[in-house]
Amino acid sequence: MALVVKTRSVEFMPLFLTLGVAGCTVSWAIYGIYVGDIWIGIPNYLGTVVAMFQLGLYGFYMNTEESRAAFAKVAKREPISINDEGEKDS
């Protein structure tokens, strides 16, 4: 998260990984409430807060000039071609 703030870019924070972490921690936090187990609940309550903070950072920095430049750079890359022997074509 510090790298996102430092570079003002979400290039190094994958959205689907962040969404996966958020979904996992929320589901375990709900389960912790359901069964009344604080040893399951407390770590996942904290994880939910951190995941929501990460999603907020993503929403805040996803449209910055730095993020757009990083994604444009990735989009310009040529795809890697593999031949039938499993080797990279030149």
Side-chain angles (χ1 to χ4, degrees):
M1 288 189 293
L3 188 58
V4 171
V5 175
K6 183 179 175 182
T7 61
R8 295 179 40 110
S9 172
V10 293
E11 176 184 10
F12 302 107
M13 188 170 73
L15 178 60
F16 292 120
L17 179 62
T18 305
L19 288 173
V21 168
C24 185
T25 58
V26 166
S27 64
W28 277 104
I30 291 170
Y31 178 74
I33 292 170
Y34 179 72
V35 297
D37 189 345
I38 62 168
W39 299 108
I40 293 174
I42 290 175
N44 289 292
Y45 305 148
L46 297 174
T48 299
V49 170
V50 171
M52 295 305 139
F53 181 70
Q54 284 182 322
L55 287 172
L57 278 178
Y58 198 94
F60 187 75
Y61 286 117
M62 72 181 194
N63 286 326
T64 62
E65 188 63 37
E66 292 85 353
S67 288
R68 285 192 292 259
F71 290 129
K73 180 180 170 185
V74 170
K76 288 182 183 178
R77 290 185 188 159
E78 293 291 323
I80 297 173
S81 178
I82 307 287
N83 62 20
D84 293 335
E85 289 80 34
E87 299 171 350
K88 184 175 150 182
D89 284 339
S90 299

